[in-house]
Coordinates of all heavy atoms in Angstrom, one line a residue:
A1 N 39.4 43.3 54.0 CA 39.1 44.7 54.1 C 37.7 44.9 54.9 O 37.6 45.8 55.7 CB 39.0 45.3 52.7
S2 N 36.8 44.0 54.6 CA 35.5 44.2 55.3 C 35.6 43.9 56.8 O 34.8 44.5 57.5 CB 34.5 43.2 54.7 OG 34.8 41.9 55.0
R3 N 36.5 43.1 57.2 CA 36.7 42.8 58.6 C 37.4 43.9 59.4 O 37.4 43.9 60.6 CB 37.4 41.5 58.8 CG 36.6 40.3 58.3 CD 37.3 39.0 58.5 NE 36.5 37.9 58.1 CZ 36.9 36.6 58.1 NH1 38.2 36.3 58.5 NH2 36.1 35.6 57.6
R4 N 37.8 44.9 58.7 CA 38.5 46.0 59.4 C 37.5 46.9 60.2 O 37.8 47.5 61.1 CB 39.2 46.9 58.4 CG 40.5 46.2 57.8 CD 41.1 47.1 56.8 NE 42.3 46.5 56.2 CZ 43.0 47.0 55.2 NH1 42.6 48.1 54.6 NH2 44.1 46.4 54.8
W5 N 36.2 46.9 59.6 CA 35.3 47.7 60.2 C 34.0 47.0 60.8 O 33.1 47.5 61.3 CB 34.7 48.8 59.3 CG 34.2 48.3 58.0 CD1 34.9 47.9 56.9 CD2 32.8 48.0 57.7 NE1 34.1 47.5 55.9 CE2 32.8 47.6 56.4 CE3 31.7 48.2 58.3 CZ2 31.6 47.2 55.7 CZ3 30.5 47.9 57.7 CH2 30.5 47.4 56.4
L6 N 34.1 45.6 60.6 CA 33.1 44.8 61.2 C 33.7 43.6 61.9 O 34.6 43.0 61.3 CB 32.1 44.3 60.1 CG 31.0 45.2 59.6 CD1 30.2 44.5 58.4 CD2 30.0 45.6 60.7
P7 N 33.2 43.1 63.0 CA 33.6 41.9 63.6 C 33.4 40.8 62.6 O 32.5 40.8 61.8 CB 32.8 41.7 64.9 CG 32.4 43.1 65.2 CD 32.2 43.8 63.9
A8 N 34.2 39.7 62.7 CA 34.2 38.7 61.7 C 32.8 38.1 61.5 O 32.4 37.8 60.3 CB 35.2 37.6 62.1
R9 N 32.1 37.8 62.5 CA 30.8 37.1 62.4 C 29.6 38.1 62.3 O 28.4 37.6 62.2 CB 30.6 36.2 63.6 CG 31.6 35.0 63.6 CD 31.4 34.2 62.3 NE 32.4 33.1 62.3 CZ 32.5 32.2 61.2 NH1 31.7 32.3 60.2 NH2 33.4 31.2 61.3
T10 N 29.8 39.3 62.4 CA 28.7 40.3 62.4 C 27.7 40.1 61.2 O 26.5 40.0 61.3 CB 29.2 41.7 62.5 OG1 29.8 41.9 63.8 CG2 28.0 42.7 62.5
P11 N 28.3 40.1 60.0 CA 27.4 39.9 58.8 C 26.6 38.6 58.8 O 25.4 38.6 58.5 CB 28.3 40.0 57.6 CG 29.5 40.7 58.1 CD 29.7 40.3 59.5
D12 N 27.2 37.6 59.3 CA 26.6 36.3 59.3 C 25.4 36.2 60.3 O 24.6 35.2 60.2 CB 27.6 35.2 59.6 CG 28.6 35.0 58.5 OD1 28.4 35.4 57.4 OD2 29.7 34.5 58.8
V13 N 25.4 37.1 61.2 CA 24.2 37.2 62.1 C 23.3 38.3 61.6 O 22.1 38.1 61.6 CB 24.7 37.6 63.5 CG1 23.5 37.8 64.4 CG2 25.5 36.5 64.1
A14 N 23.8 39.5 61.2 CA 23.0 40.6 60.9 C 22.1 40.3 59.6 O 20.9 40.7 59.5 CB 23.8 41.8 60.7
V15 N 22.7 39.6 58.6 CA 22.0 39.4 57.3 C 20.8 38.5 57.5 O 19.7 38.9 57.1 CB 23.0 38.8 56.3 CG1 22.2 38.4 55.0 CG2 24.0 39.9 55.9
P16 N 20.9 37.4 58.2 CA 19.7 36.6 58.4 C 18.7 37.3 59.3 O 17.5 37.1 59.1 CB 20.3 35.3 59.1 CG 21.7 35.2 58.7 CD 22.1 36.6 58.6
V17 N 19.2 38.0 60.3 CA 18.2 38.8 61.0 C 17.4 39.9 60.2 O 16.2 40.1 60.3 CB 18.9 39.5 62.2 CG1 18.0 40.5 62.9 CG2 19.4 38.5 63.3
G18 N 18.2 40.5 59.2 CA 17.5 41.4 58.3 C 16.5 40.7 57.5 O 15.4 41.2 57.2
Y19 N 16.9 39.5 56.9 CA 15.9 38.7 56.2 C 14.7 38.4 57.0 O 13.6 38.5 56.5 CB 16.5 37.4 55.7 CG 17.6 37.4 54.7 CD1 18.6 36.4 54.7 CD2 17.7 38.5 53.8 CE1 19.7 36.5 53.8 CE2 18.8 38.5 52.9 CZ 19.7 37.5 52.9 OH 20.8 37.6 52.0
L20 N 14.8 38.0 58.2 CA 13.7 37.7 59.1 C 12.8 38.9 59.3 O 11.6 38.8 59.3 CB 14.3 37.1 60.4 CG 13.2 36.7 61.4 CD1 12.4 35.5 60.9 CD2 13.8 36.3 62.8
A21 N 13.4 40.0 59.5 CA 12.7 41.3 59.8 C 11.9 41.7 58.5 O 10.7 42.0 58.6 CB 13.6 42.4 60.1
L22 N 12.5 41.5 57.4 CA 11.8 41.8 56.1 C 10.6 40.8 55.9 O 9.5 41.2 55.6 CB 12.7 41.6 54.9 CG 12.1 41.8 53.6 CD1 11.4 43.2 53.4 CD2 13.2 41.6 52.5
A23 N 10.8 39.5 56.2 CA 9.7 38.5 56.1 C 8.5 38.9 57.1 O 7.3 38.7 56.7 CB 10.2 37.1 56.3
V24 N 8.9 39.3 58.3 CA 7.8 39.6 59.2 C 7.1 40.8 58.8 O 5.8 40.9 58.8 CB 8.5 39.9 60.7 CG1 7.4 40.5 61.6 CG2 9.0 38.6 61.2
W25 N 7.7 41.8 58.2 CA 7.1 43.0 57.7 C 6.2 42.7 56.5 O 5.1 43.2 56.5 CB 8.1 44.0 57.3 CG 7.5 45.3 56.7 CD1 6.8 46.3 57.4 CD2 7.5 45.7 55.3 NE1 6.4 47.2 56.5 CE2 6.8 46.9 55.3 CE3 8.1 45.1 54.2 CZ2 6.7 47.6 54.0 CZ3 7.9 45.8 53.0 CH2 7.2 47.0 52.9
L26 N 6.6 41.8 55.7 CA 5.8 41.5 54.5 C 4.5 40.7 54.9 O 3.5 40.8 54.1 CB 6.6 40.6 53.5 CG 7.8 41.2 52.8 CD1 8.6 40.2 52.1 CD2 7.3 42.3 51.9
T27 N 4.5 40.1 56.0 CA 3.3 39.4 56.5 C 2.5 40.1 57.5 O 1.5 39.6 58.1 CB 3.7 38.0 57.0 OG1 4.6 38.1 58.1 CG2 4.4 37.1 55.9
H28 N 2.9 41.3 57.9 CA 2.3 42.0 59.0 C 0.8 42.3 58.9 O 0.1 42.4 59.9 CB 3.0 43.3 59.3 CG 2.6 44.5 58.5 ND1 3.2 44.7 57.3 CD2 1.7 45.4 58.7 CE1 2.6 45.8 56.7 NE2 1.7 46.2 57.5

């Protein structure tokens, strides 16, 4: 069901990028 509205690998890229952005913000 989740792949109906997201390409198969989108979360596996977006989630780590989100973690990275959060870590950068926490150390800014």
